[in-house]
Each structure stands twice: as structure tokens, then as C-alpha cells.
Amino acid sequence: MVFIDESGDPGFKVARGSSAAFVVAMVAFADKQVAIDAQAAIKATATAHRVFPEFKFSKSRPEIRDLFFKTVAPFEFCVRAVVVEKERIHSGYLRSSKEAFYSFFVKSMLKFDNGLLKDAKVVIDGSGERIFKQELSAYLRRHTEKGAIKSVRFSDSQSDELVQLADMCTGAIARPYRDNRKDTDRWRRMIEAKIEDVWEFK
């Protein structure tokens, strides 16, 4: 089971508010029962500490981020990510099409998976238009190894704790690329043992 989310946006108008860096990450569970247990633990923590409507890295206080990563620490999963500093992108096509930009880097992350994906069920944070979701699903199947992906579906993060896990891990990895203040890698360090690879696009 694989859960995908992104941090930042695929736009290039940085002077007008677009993010200078875009990060997409996937959280993968080899064991379905471990995923179910992790989901239950996240839900129980949210209830006990009145986190509503969801865990979201960009909107969470530091102590809530600490709490979240301590909650998921006992569970066996791995994280792979792609970091794109947009000033490095020279392709006119990728710079002009948000959908193409997003699809290309999600595909790249899944394609260069170091053998991780085998008949995987992929769940992506459910933003975007229906037609784009259909196109992205087909695109990912077309551009990844045969047998790597069994299915692709989209899920609302507010109702899916494991998409929230993907959001939190993505945010932890992205934070040091956007904030040069002291200790910005604090949450990345909390998941360092789970990180298999962070590919910085060049």
C-alpha cells in the first residue's frame, strides 16, 4: 500500500506566491495489517488530543507535529521523496502545464522506486478535477514498470489517516528547503530511519 501527497505547488510564479520548491513523497507499507494498525493509532491520537479535522503539517503547531511522529514511530513503513527546486526546471512544457509538472514528478518517484513497488495499491491525496485524476491514473500505469501498480485511487485526506501520514512526512522533508532558520530539519530527523531516498532533482 502506497500513499502519496505533495508539499508546495506546481506553479512557477514564485514572485506572486508560488512555492520555490515542490516536494512529493510516498509512504509505503509492505504489510497491510501494519497499515491498518498505524491508521488506528493516528485516529486514536487525533481523538485523544482533539486534532480536528485532520493532521496537516503546514497547519500544525510544533508540539502536534512531535506528537504525530512519536505516534507513528513504532510502525514499519518507508518513505521516498522527490524535491524539485523550480529554478532548475528549464522545460517550457513542465513550466507551462501544472498537470504535466505534477504527473512527471509523481511518475518519476514511482518509476525509480528501487524495486519497492510490486502490484501496489496507490492512494493519492484527492485534489484536482475528475478528468485529471483519470488521466493521471492512466499516465502512471503507462509510465511505470509492468506489475508495479495494481490500482490508483484518490482519497480525501480528512477521512484518510494514511494520506495524512503522507502529508506529514512530505511536510517534514520539505520544511528545510523553505526555511533556513535553526532546527527546521527537526521533524525530518524524527522520520530519518524511515526515509529510503530523497532525490533532489538536478
Side-chain angles (χ1 to χ4, degrees):
M1 300 181 74
V2 176
F3 300 85
I4 295 175
D5 202 0
E6 80 280 352
S7 178
D9 61 83
F12 280 82
K13 296 179 180 178
V14 176
R16 300 184 187 177
S18 294
S19 60
F22 174 83
V23 179
V24 61
M26 65 177 178
V27 171
F29 289 87
D31 188 317
K32 183 178 179 180
Q33 187 57 52
V34 174
I36 291 170
D37 293 345
Q39 186 171 30
I42 294 168
K43 188 172 184 176
T45 299
T47 300
H49 295 271
R50 300 181 181 179
V51 177
F52 182 82
E54 62 182 312
F55 285 103
K56 197 166 187 65
F57 188 90
S58 63
K59 296 181 178 179
S60 295
R61 302 187 308 277
E63 60 269 26
I64 294 297
R65 293 172 184 168
D66 290 344
L67 173 68
F68 181 90
F69 290 119
K70 287 175 183 175
T71 296
V72 300
F75 300 99
E76 195 70 33
F77 62 87
C78 69
V79 182
R80 298 180 69 85
V82 176
V83 177
V84 184
E85 295 184 85
K86 293 177 188 173
E87 63 182 14
R88 298 179 181 273
I89 302 294
H90 303 293
S91 165
Y93 181 54
L94 293 181
R95 292 180 72 92
S96 64
S97 171
K98 293 180 179 181
E99 290 82 6
F101 178 96
Y102 181 85
S103 298
F104 176 79
F105 286 108
V106 172
K107 176 263 292 186
S108 297
M109 180 178 64
L110 293 173
K111 188 173 183 178
F112 301 105
D113 67 328
N114 199 31
L116 176 67
L117 301 181
K118 292 181 177 64
D119 210 23
K121 295 179 179 179
V122 177
V123 182
I124 302 175
D125 185 27
S127 57
E129 299 294 330
R130 185 168 64 90
I131 187 67
F132 171 61
K133 292 177 182 178
Q134 293 171 345
E135 290 172 353
L136 177 61
S137 179
Y139 178 89
L140 293 179
R141 287 194 179 92
R142 211 165 45 239
H143 291 279
T144 51
E145 294 294 325
K146 185 176 181 181
I149 296 176
K150 180 177 182 178
S151 64
V152 178
R153 69 178 177 88
F154 297 81
S155 182
D156 180 359
S157 60
Q158 288 192 15
S159 59
D160 193 327
E161 287 80 13
L162 297 181
V163 174
Q164 294 172 37
L165 172 60
D167 172 275
M168 294 292 285
C169 290
T170 307
I173 291 168
R175 180 67 179 270
Y177 293 93
R178 300 199 182 117
D179 188 342
N180 58 10
R181 289 177 296 179
K182 184 180 178 182
D183 209 29
T184 56
D185 65 343
R186 164 178 163 187
W187 295 286
R188 173 168 173 163
R189 294 198 310 268
M190 292 184 76
I191 59 168
E192 197 65 46
K194 314 265 188 203
I195 297 176
E196 273 197 357
D197 184 57
V198 175
W199 172 42
E200 295 181 349
F201 178 80
K202 300 189 188 306

